[in-house]
Amino acid sequence: TSQTLAHLVEQRSYGAKSEDEGGGGGLESMAGMETRGDFRFTAYWNPSIITGSDGKATARFKLPDNLTEFKVMASAQTKNSSFGYGESSFNVNKELLLQPALPRFVRIDDMFEGGAVVTNFTGTAGDVTVTSDVSGSIQSNGSQSSTIQLRPGESKEIRFAYSGTTAGDGVFTFTAKMNNYTDAVTIDVPVRHPVIRESVALYESTADRAEQVIIIPGNIHNDLGGLEISAASTALVGLENSIDYLITYPYGCLEQRLSGILPIILSEDMVRAFDLKPLRGSDIRTTAQRVLDQLDQFQTDFGGFALWRGSRINSPYISAYTLYIIGEAENRGYHINSSVRDMGIQYIQNYLRGYLPGEESPYSTHSALAAQALSVYALSLLGINEDAYIEQLYRQRHELPLFAKAFLTHAIANTTNDAKMRETISRELMNAVKVDATSAYFEERNFDGLEWTYSSNVRTTAIILDALLAAGIEETISQRVVRWLLDERKNGRWRSTQENVYTVRALAAYFKKYESVAPDFTARIAIAGQTVLEEMFRSYSLETIREEIDFDNFHSGEQLPVDISIDGTGRLYYGIRMNYFPKDVDGIRDEGLTILKSITPLDGNIAKAPGTYNAGSIYKITLTVISPHDRDFVVVDDPLPGGFEPVNVSFATESTILDDYLKDNYDRWWGSFNHVEQYDDRVLLFADKLYRGVHTHTYLVRAITYGTFNMPPTHTEQMYAPEVFGRTAPDTISVR
């Protein structure tokens, strides 16, 4: 019923499964040669084969194009529950063999050498002609053909010169010919953006006419990014940037994954209407279901949920939040693994009863009460009434954070529906509102430990607005709260995933309840006198009309007037967002966090030529983060240059001696970086808690590809307060 293979190879990326269960195919013809291009780690998988009466079974499948050793593994089970296991292996080779020797990725403007290793297994010496053909985002720089002589059994690497031109995939095809022997192979290499994207956005509305001015940034990559103009008859257009941020947030702890799909679960029609780029061409319910199907990877043996995949540290608040998402999803027809659901329920019920298995809780009294309030709310969505604990929390309500009181009102409404309790809490929440001439918001008391519940005043205000709308808050106050929330946006969104997910939910509820004037108008938006969008809006609709304009249409530094007008009755909600990739990034920044990066040979000697590294050598990268204060939920994003690849010392193919160079990373697991993720193009570090002081992390890389490569700045930030950040300066490295 289970096997451990996944634990042995869990760090491999298998890619998409082919439509044909057995795989195979992928051969194309090139000048009479069959080109190998279908490379897969798993050639065949069959979960169930019934043997004949002799105990034998046969499986047939097409192999992919890998020339390698394949291992065949099978587990057997009899009717009387006897088990057996066996394995074997076989090799797939060619007499004349090409093996690509390319970087895993490159960036725009990288200049590098790549090619293929050709091996002569024919048994005779001969001249081999190797040619290269590239297309897509890579261009060749020089001759793309070379003839060499190979002795029997000899291998040689043939290199050609290339450069990255645009973002996308570069397609390499290498061919080799020796007498009547041939081989051809095709492989894709991604070309990444040289730096992270920067965005600025404006979201406004008008009932007649408005004027804006945009300035095209200077010194940017004109082939990347552009202007996005959007128009809608509902204020929900202002939420588009927030939902896009939730879905595309680059770091993958469980909270962020779940927050990314909650808008889909709660408001599928709204998300679909926004036509967000990351979701185009896919079924958005499938996107959400995929995240829900992976919940077991974050579940601990005790049934709770951890922030990180494979972690054994239960997080009560995250466990309650996960159960809340499960409840909302299950009530809308999503499939939930019953075992995951039931174990999660058992853990939360144990938590309510004061049993926290496995570790000491870092929560303060107030953060623990907040987790309990979310727990009873989540259980109520699943049809489980914890009336006694609801009553207990009601009696302790003066110790509850404000957002936890709002969770408690939802739990009461879903269970006892005690009118007196709901009215009392609603009145107390209204007494806490801070009102000025045009806006209103809620401010949490300065309770210790609320960082464990991702607390912020924006998040609290949104959660309370959602609860009070359900309780029948008067429209005047709710309008002021909405105005305050919208004013708190920066570049069209709020600061963190938690702020965005709860604000999107609250504003969607508000606009659904209070938008009353049916639109009937024609909208026109012109840039520099040229109409870029013109549309009629009739009746209520979540449809958002958008136009995307490349920077090629403008000049760097150009100032452009934007005229917005409507003809008819209603209000136009418009958005102007500019996404751009600067060629030059500002130098070192220290906004509450300092980040330093050094690259040294394993022997500790600094290279004579700074920024120059020897191909084939291993180097140690040391990241140093300095924080003057304790921080919560800190990420470090360290991009790698295309000529490097990270060394994973946990692989059996790497020398165990290398692990000794990283021993300092294991000195402490709490108050510093406690989760690491390695990718082809970057290394990510995460700290749930980062104590004030100096923190270092080292990892190893191998210089693999000759050339000159961009190395973008290393960035660190507090994920739920991203205005606290730091970064290094960008650099260029050479591998020789």
Side-chain angles (χ1 to χ4, degrees), residues 214-253:
I214 57 177
I215 299 176
I216 304 301
N219 203 21
I220 62 174
H221 292 274
N222 287 331
D223 58 330
L224 303 175
L227 290 175
E228 297 179 6
I229 309 298
S230 60
S233 59
T234 169
L236 286 173
V237 68
L239 303 184
E240 175 184 359
N241 213 25
S242 295
I243 298 174
D244 178 66
Y245 166 78
L246 287 168
I247 292 171
T248 60
Y249 191 73
Y251 312 124
C253 80

Short mmCIF file of all heavy atoms in Angstrom, two decimals, residues 214-253:
data_model
loop_
_atom_site.label_atom_id
_atom_site.label_comp_id
_atom_site.label_asym_id
_atom_site.label_seq_id
_atom_site.Cartn_x
_atom_site.Cartn_y
_atom_site.Cartn_z
N ILE A 214 1.42 59.35 -17.60
CA ILE A 214 2.36 58.26 -17.33
C ILE A 214 3.70 58.60 -17.97
O ILE A 214 3.75 59.28 -19.01
CB ILE A 214 1.85 56.90 -17.86
CG1 ILE A 214 1.55 56.96 -19.35
CG2 ILE A 214 0.62 56.45 -17.09
CD1 ILE A 214 1.10 55.64 -19.95
N ILE A 215 4.78 58.15 -17.33
CA ILE A 215 6.13 58.39 -17.83
C ILE A 215 6.79 57.03 -18.07
O ILE A 215 6.87 56.21 -17.15
CB ILE A 215 6.96 59.23 -16.84
CG1 ILE A 215 6.30 60.59 -16.61
CG2 ILE A 215 8.38 59.40 -17.35
CD1 ILE A 215 7.00 61.44 -15.56
N ILE A 216 7.24 56.79 -19.28
CA ILE A 216 7.91 55.53 -19.61
C ILE A 216 9.30 55.56 -18.98
O ILE A 216 10.08 56.49 -19.22
CB ILE A 216 8.02 55.35 -21.14
CG1 ILE A 216 6.62 55.43 -21.79
CG2 ILE A 216 8.69 54.02 -21.45
CD1 ILE A 216 5.65 54.41 -21.29
N PRO A 217 9.64 54.57 -18.18
CA PRO A 217 10.97 54.57 -17.53
C PRO A 217 12.09 54.50 -18.56
O PRO A 217 11.92 53.97 -19.66
CB PRO A 217 10.95 53.30 -16.66
CG PRO A 217 9.51 52.93 -16.54
CD PRO A 217 8.85 53.40 -17.79
N GLY A 218 13.24 55.04 -18.18
CA GLY A 218 14.41 54.96 -19.04
C GLY A 218 15.25 53.74 -18.74
O GLY A 218 15.14 53.14 -17.67
N ASN A 219 16.06 53.34 -19.71
CA ASN A 219 17.03 52.25 -19.55
C ASN A 219 16.37 50.95 -19.09
O ASN A 219 16.75 50.35 -18.10
CB ASN A 219 18.13 52.65 -18.56
CG ASN A 219 19.40 51.84 -18.78
OD1 ASN A 219 19.62 51.28 -19.86
ND2 ASN A 219 20.24 51.77 -17.77
N ILE A 220 15.35 50.53 -19.83
CA ILE A 220 14.66 49.28 -19.54
C ILE A 220 14.76 48.35 -20.75
O ILE A 220 15.15 48.78 -21.84
CB ILE A 220 13.17 49.53 -19.19
CG1 ILE A 220 12.44 50.15 -20.39
CG2 ILE A 220 13.03 50.38 -17.95
CD1 ILE A 220 10.95 50.30 -20.19
N HIS A 221 14.40 47.09 -20.54
CA HIS A 221 14.33 46.13 -21.64
C HIS A 221 13.02 46.35 -22.39
O HIS A 221 11.94 46.00 -21.91
CB HIS A 221 14.42 44.71 -21.12
CG HIS A 221 15.75 44.37 -20.53
ND1 HIS A 221 16.80 43.90 -21.28
CD2 HIS A 221 16.20 44.44 -19.25
CE1 HIS A 221 17.85 43.69 -20.50
NE2 HIS A 221 17.51 44.00 -19.26
N ASN A 222 13.10 46.93 -23.58
CA ASN A 222 11.88 47.28 -24.32
C ASN A 222 11.09 46.07 -24.78
O ASN A 222 9.90 46.18 -25.09
CB ASN A 222 12.23 48.15 -25.54
CG ASN A 222 12.63 49.57 -25.14
OD1 ASN A 222 12.17 50.07 -24.12
ND2 ASN A 222 13.48 50.18 -25.93
N ASP A 223 11.75 44.90 -24.87
CA ASP A 223 11.05 43.72 -25.34
C ASP A 223 10.34 42.99 -24.20
O ASP A 223 9.71 41.96 -24.43
CB ASP A 223 12.01 42.76 -26.03
CG ASP A 223 13.15 42.33 -25.13
OD1 ASP A 223 13.54 43.12 -24.25
OD2 ASP A 223 13.65 41.21 -25.31
N LEU A 224 10.43 43.50 -22.99
CA LEU A 224 9.78 42.88 -21.84
C LEU A 224 8.78 43.86 -21.23
O LEU A 224 8.99 45.07 -21.23
CB LEU A 224 10.80 42.48 -20.77
CG LEU A 224 11.93 41.55 -21.20
CD1 LEU A 224 12.91 41.35 -20.06
CD2 LEU A 224 11.36 40.22 -21.66
N GLY A 225 7.72 43.30 -20.66
CA GLY A 225 6.75 44.14 -19.96
C GLY A 225 5.93 44.99 -20.90
O GLY A 225 5.78 44.71 -22.10
N GLY A 226 5.38 46.07 -20.37
CA GLY A 226 4.54 46.97 -21.15
C GLY A 226 3.46 47.58 -20.30
O GLY A 226 3.45 47.47 -19.06
N LEU A 227 2.52 48.26 -20.97
CA LEU A 227 1.39 48.88 -20.30
C LEU A 227 0.18 47.96 -20.35
O LEU A 227 -0.08 47.33 -21.38
CB LEU A 227 1.03 50.21 -20.97
CG LEU A 227 2.01 51.38 -20.81
CD1 LEU A 227 1.55 52.56 -21.65
CD2 LEU A 227 2.11 51.79 -19.35
N GLU A 228 -0.57 47.90 -19.26
CA GLU A 228 -1.83 47.18 -19.22
C GLU A 228 -2.92 48.19 -18.85
O GLU A 228 -2.89 48.79 -17.78
CB GLU A 228 -1.79 46.05 -18.18
CG GLU A 228 -0.77 44.97 -18.49
CD GLU A 228 -0.74 43.89 -17.42
OE1 GLU A 228 -1.60 43.94 -16.52
OE2 GLU A 228 0.12 43.01 -17.49
N ILE A 229 -3.86 48.36 -19.75
CA ILE A 229 -4.98 49.27 -19.52
C ILE A 229 -6.23 48.43 -19.29
O ILE A 229 -6.55 47.55 -20.10
CB ILE A 229 -5.21 50.21 -20.73
CG1 ILE A 229 -3.91 50.88 -21.15
CG2 ILE A 229 -6.28 51.23 -20.41
CD1 ILE A 229 -3.30 51.76 -20.10
N SER A 230 -6.93 48.68 -18.20
CA SER A 230 -8.14 47.90 -17.91
C SER A 230 -9.30 48.83 -17.62
O SER A 230 -9.12 49.96 -17.16
CB SER A 230 -7.90 46.97 -16.70
OG SER A 230 -7.57 47.72 -15.55
N ALA A 231 -10.50 48.35 -17.91
CA ALA A 231 -11.71 49.14 -17.67
C ALA A 231 -12.83 48.20 -17.29
O ALA A 231 -12.96 47.10 -17.82
CB ALA A 231 -12.08 49.93 -18.93
N ALA A 232 -13.66 48.62 -16.34
CA ALA A 232 -14.78 47.81 -15.88
C ALA A 232 -15.86 48.72 -15.32
O ALA A 232 -15.62 49.90 -15.01
CB ALA A 232 -14.34 46.81 -14.83
N SER A 233 -17.04 48.18 -15.20
CA SER A 233 -18.17 48.93 -14.64
C SER A 233 -18.36 48.65 -13.16
O SER A 233 -19.35 49.06 -12.58
CB SER A 233 -19.45 48.59 -15.41
OG SER A 233 -19.71 47.20 -15.32
N THR A 234 -17.42 47.93 -12.56
CA THR A 234 -17.49 47.62 -11.14
C THR A 234 -16.15 47.92 -10.49
O THR A 234 -15.10 47.80 -11.12
CB THR A 234 -17.85 46.15 -10.89
OG1 THR A 234 -17.66 45.83 -9.51
CG2 THR A 234 -16.97 45.23 -11.71
N ALA A 235 -16.18 48.32 -9.24
CA ALA A 235 -14.95 48.63 -8.51
C ALA A 235 -14.11 47.39 -8.27
O ALA A 235 -12.97 47.50 -7.82
CB ALA A 235 -15.28 49.30 -7.18
N LEU A 236 -14.63 46.22 -8.55
CA LEU A 236 -13.83 45.01 -8.39
C LEU A 236 -12.60 45.01 -9.30
O LEU A 236 -11.68 44.23 -9.07
CB LEU A 236 -14.68 43.77 -8.68
CG LEU A 236 -15.70 43.39 -7.61
CD1 LEU A 236 -16.58 42.26 -8.11
CD2 LEU A 236 -15.00 42.98 -6.33
N VAL A 237 -12.59 45.88 -10.31
CA VAL A 237 -11.41 45.94 -11.17
C VAL A 237 -10.18 46.28 -10.35
O VAL A 237 -9.07 45.89 -10.66
CB VAL A 237 -11.62 46.96 -12.30
CG1 VAL A 237 -11.68 48.39 -11.76
CG2 VAL A 237 -10.52 46.84 -13.34
N GLY A 238 -10.38 46.99 -9.26
CA GLY A 238 -9.26 47.35 -8.41
C GLY A 238 -8.66 46.17 -7.68
O GLY A 238 -7.57 46.28 -7.11
N LEU A 239 -9.36 45.04 -7.68
CA LEU A 239 -8.86 43.86 -6.98
C LEU A 239 -8.03 42.96 -7.89
O LEU A 239 -7.43 41.99 -7.43
CB LEU A 239 -10.02 43.05 -6.42
CG LEU A 239 -10.96 43.78 -5.46
CD1 LEU A 239 -12.00 42.82 -4.91
CD2 LEU A 239 -10.19 44.43 -4.34
N GLU A 240 -7.99 43.26 -9.17
CA GLU A 240 -7.29 42.41 -10.12
C GLU A 240 -5.82 42.24 -9.75
O GLU A 240 -5.27 41.13 -9.77
CB GLU A 240 -7.40 43.00 -11.53
CG GLU A 240 -6.62 42.26 -12.58
CD GLU A 240 -6.70 42.96 -13.92
OE1 GLU A 240 -7.38 44.00 -14.01
OE2 GLU A 240 -6.08 42.46 -14.87
N ASN A 241 -5.16 43.34 -9.40
CA ASN A 241 -3.74 43.27 -9.08
C ASN A 241 -3.49 42.41 -7.84
O ASN A 241 -2.49 41.70 -7.74
CB ASN A 241 -3.19 44.68 -8.87
CG ASN A 241 -1.74 44.80 -9.32
OD1 ASN A 241 -1.29 44.04 -10.16
ND2 ASN A 241 -1.03 45.75 -8.76
N SER A 242 -4.42 42.48 -6.88
CA SER A 242 -4.25 41.71 -5.65
C SER A 242 -4.37 40.21 -5.92
O SER A 242 -3.59 39.41 -5.38
CB SER A 242 -5.31 42.12 -4.63
OG SER A 242 -5.11 43.46 -4.24
N ILE A 243 -5.33 39.81 -6.73
CA ILE A 243 -5.50 38.39 -7.03
C ILE A 243 -4.33 37.88 -7.85
O ILE A 243 -3.82 36.77 -7.63
CB ILE A 243 -6.84 38.16 -7.76
CG1 ILE A 243 -8.01 38.57 -6.84
CG2 ILE A 243 -6.99 36.70 -8.16
CD1 ILE A 243 -9.36 38.52 -7.50
N ASP A 244 -3.86 38.69 -8.79
CA ASP A 244 -2.68 38.32 -9.57
C ASP A 244 -1.48 38.13 -8.65
O ASP A 244 -0.69 37.18 -8.80
CB ASP A 244 -2.39 39.40 -10.61
CG ASP A 244 -1.16 39.10 -11.44
OD1 ASP A 244 -1.19 38.12 -12.20
OD2 ASP A 244 -0.16 39.83 -11.30
N TYR A 245 -1.32 39.01 -7.66
CA TYR A 245 -0.22 38.91 -6.69
C TYR A 245 -0.33 37.62 -5.89
O TYR A 245 0.67 36.93 -5.66
CB TYR A 245 -0.27 40.13 -5.77
CG TYR A 245 0.57 40.03 -4.52
CD1 TYR A 245 1.94 40.21 -4.56
CD2 TYR A 245 -0.03 39.76 -3.30
CE1 TYR A 245 2.70 40.14 -3.41
CE2 TYR A 245 0.73 39.69 -2.14
CZ TYR A 245 2.09 39.88 -2.20
OH TYR A 245 2.83 39.80 -1.05
N LEU A 246 -1.55 37.27 -5.46
CA LEU A 246 -1.73 36.05 -4.68
C LEU A 246 -1.36 34.81 -5.48
O LEU A 246 -0.71 33.89 -4.99
CB LEU A 246 -3.17 35.95 -4.19
CG LEU A 246 -3.59 36.90 -3.07
CD1 LEU A 246 -5.11 36.90 -2.90
CD2 LEU A 246 -2.92 36.50 -1.76
N ILE A 247 -1.77 34.78 -6.74
CA ILE A 247 -1.56 33.59 -7.57
C ILE A 247 -0.10 33.45 -7.97
O ILE A 247 0.41 32.34 -8.09
CB ILE A 247 -2.48 33.66 -8.81
CG1 ILE A 247 -3.95 33.52 -8.36
CG2 ILE A 247 -2.13 32.58 -9.81
CD1 ILE A 247 -4.94 33.78 -9.46
N THR A 248 0.59 34.57 -8.17
CA THR A 248 1.96 34.51 -8.68
C THR A 248 3.01 34.72 -7.59
O THR A 248 4.20 34.79 -7.91
CB THR A 248 2.18 35.58 -9.77
OG1 THR A 248 1.93 36.89 -9.21
CG2 THR A 248 1.25 35.35 -10.94
N TYR A 249 2.61 34.80 -6.32
CA TYR A 249 3.59 35.02 -5.25
C TYR A 249 4.64 33.92 -5.32
O TYR A 249 4.31 32.73 -5.35
CB TYR A 249 2.91 35.02 -3.89
CG TYR A 249 3.80 35.50 -2.76
CD1 TYR A 249 4.13 36.84 -2.65
CD2 TYR A 249 4.34 34.60 -1.85
CE1 TYR A 249 4.95 37.28 -1.63
CE2 TYR A 249 5.18 35.04 -0.83
CZ TYR A 249 5.47 36.38 -0.73
OH TYR A 249 6.30 36.82 0.28
N PRO A 250 5.95 34.30 -5.34
CA PRO A 250 6.97 33.32 -5.74
C PRO A 250 7.42 32.34 -4.67
O PRO A 250 8.16 31.41 -4.97
CB PRO A 250 8.15 34.22 -6.14
CG PRO A 250 8.00 35.45 -5.31
CD PRO A 250 6.50 35.65 -5.18
N TYR A 251 7.02 32.53 -3.41
CA TYR A 251 7.51 31.66 -2.35
C TYR A 251 6.39 30.78 -1.86
O TYR A 251 5.26 31.22 -1.69
CB TYR A 251 8.12 32.48 -1.22
CG TYR A 251 9.06 33.53 -1.73
CD1 TYR A 251 8.89 34.88 -1.42
CD2 TYR A 251 10.11 33.18 -2.57
CE1 TYR A 251 9.76 35.84 -1.92
CE2 TYR A 251 10.98 34.14 -3.07
CZ TYR A 251 10.79 35.47 -2.75
OH TYR A 251 11.64 36.42 -3.26
N GLY A 252 6.70 29.48 -1.60
CA GLY A 252 5.65 28.48 -1.53
C GLY A 252 5.40 27.84 -0.19
O GLY A 252 5.28 26.63 -0.12
N CYS A 253 5.32 28.62 0.90
CA CYS A 253 4.88 27.98 2.15
C CYS A 253 3.38 27.69 2.04
O CYS A 253 2.69 28.17 1.13
CB CYS A 253 5.19 28.85 3.36
SG CYS A 253 4.05 30.20 3.68
#
